[in-house]
Amino acid sequence: MTDVQQYAFDYQCPEQALANRVILVTGAGDGIGKAVALDLARKGATVILLGRTQEKLEAVYDQIKAEGGAEPAMAPVNLEVARPQDYEELANLFEKEFGCIDGILHNASILGEITPIEQYGYSTWETVMQVNVNAAFYLTRALLPLLMKSDDASVVFTSSSVGRKGRAFWGAYAVSKFATEGLMQVLADELENVSNVRVNSLNPGATRTAMRALAYPAEDAGTLKAPSDITAPYLYLLGPASTGITGQAINAQPR
Ligand code: NDP
């Protein structure tokens, strides 16, 4: 195990470690994204909550405010249909509001079909690639100038075990996660030594969420970690403890 991986597992985030950082989380209304957004706010971050279901974003917003966190921002965006121009407009809004962005957690994804390639639906394939890959590229590209303005920015892409070793029937989801790892590596290499932006990927591992239940309907969800149990490596990668770490593919849980 690498030192970085061990640090990520063992990380205990100090109080206010994320203070004065503006961090955008996609898919912040539910599952892992929600748990990470709440913990980022608990550690002092100003969180931009991006997701497609306004009511879910509002519930997270209300919880952060009720816990005394910094005023979050909400960005209701459907990654399936948003076009590059929409992300440029968001970037302009964020620039006016915050000046710079200190972190992005690309967390939102969809599963698509669990089925052989031979039968995989064409339009499902395109939708999975749009949400899981293209949208992450559009958002990253639009926000790069704002990340460059930060003294210490971190981009985290969410991977999966099937994005590191392909497995039968995981179709577009697995391929999208390989593409995610590729985007992470290319971007990390481009930005290393010429910017303050680090770029890494994180595989959350089996976690009790709606997506997991969809993928494994017969599983006893009680045996799985809850999203709130696995946030430490996210705080590590998005906060100051990982400054200088880039191009790494990390796991949030021991396998
Ligand atoms: P969930 O399905 O529980 O949550 C996904 C989030 O993404 C939801 O908030 C959802 O919004 C949002 N989202 C989905 N589609 C869109 C869209 N078109 N536009 C905007 N937001 C969208 O998933 P998890 O929390 O389980 O997964 C989080 C990440 O972790 C994903 O990248 C997943 O691939 C990865 N992962 C998860 C594992 C697990 O065991 N849970 C294992 C390995 C990887 P809404 O709630 O409104 O639908």
Side-chain angles (χ1 to χ4, degrees):
M1 191 185 298
T2 65
D3 286 349
V4 178
Q5 179 63 81
Q6 195 62 57
Y7 288 139
F9 282 152
D10 296 343
Y11 186 57
Q12 295 190 329
C13 189
E15 289 310 310
Q16 295 302 310
L18 279 293
N20 302 318
R21 285 175 196 251
V22 177
I23 299 180
L24 184 148
V25 178
T26 72
D30 212 339
I32 295 166
K34 175 181 178 179
V36 176
L38 290 170
D39 274 358
L40 286 169
R42 287 173 186 134
K43 298 299 180 183
T46 298
V47 188
I48 302 174
L49 307 165
L50 188 150
R52 68 179 159 186
T53 309
Q54 173 96 26
E55 301 75 52
K56 290 187 180 183
L57 299 181
E58 282 169 4
V60 180
Y61 177 100
D62 289 346
Q63 189 169 343
I64 289 173
K65 291 284 288 175
E67 292 180 6
E71 172 99 37
M74 281 188 292
V77 176
N78 184 346
L79 301 170
E80 191 179 326
V81 296
R83 300 303 307 156
Q85 177 64 29
D86 300 317
Y87 297 96
E88 298 290 344
E89 284 168 16
L90 264 188
N92 289 336
L93 283 176
F94 296 154
E95 182 164 31
K96 286 199 190 86
E97 181 77 21
F98 303 113
C100 73
I101 298 273
D102 305 293
I104 305 177
L105 170 60
H106 291 287
N107 162 81
S109 276
I110 54 170
L111 185 64
E113 300 168 19
I114 304 287
T115 205
I117 294 290
E118 194 180 7
Q119 283 138 28
Y120 206 93
Y122 295 115
S123 74
T124 306
W125 183 281
E126 288 170 6
T127 307
V128 171
M129 288 302 182
Q130 186 65 21
V131 173
N132 296 8
V133 183
N134 297 347
F137 159 66
Y138 300 153
L139 181 63
T140 307
R141 188 185 184 290
L143 293 187
L144 258 181
L146 296 185
L147 290 164
M148 300 276 206
K149 286 190 184 177
S150 166
D151 294 336
D152 183 40
S154 173
V155 180
V156 177
F157 289 97
T158 305
S159 189
S160 166
S161 56
V162 294
R164 293 174 180 168
K165 171 94 175 67
R167 214 184 307 151
F169 315 132
W170 282 77
Y173 178 82
V175 175
S176 77
K177 294 299 186 179
F178 270 88
T180 298
E181 295 281 2
L183 178 55
M184 178 278 283
Q185 289 181 16
V186 170
L187 190 61
D189 202 37
E190 287 176 5
L191 297 178
E192 193 170 14
N193 303 324
V194 299
S195 78
N196 292 322
V197 186
R198 59 190 181 284
V199 187
N200 297 284
S201 74
L202 188 54
N203 167 22
T207 311
R208 197 191 313 142
T209 66
M211 181 188 285
R212 179 77 190 184
L214 201 59
Y216 295 90
E219 183 176 62
D220 175 5
T223 62
L224 302 172
K225 295 276 188 196
S228 57
D229 297 330
I230 60 151
T231 57
Y234 288 84
L235 300 181
Y236 169 72
L237 283 179
L238 289 163
S242 61
T243 301
I245 304 296
T246 198
Q248 304 287 314
I250 310 277
N251 294 306
Q253 298 185 53
R255 272 176 284 179

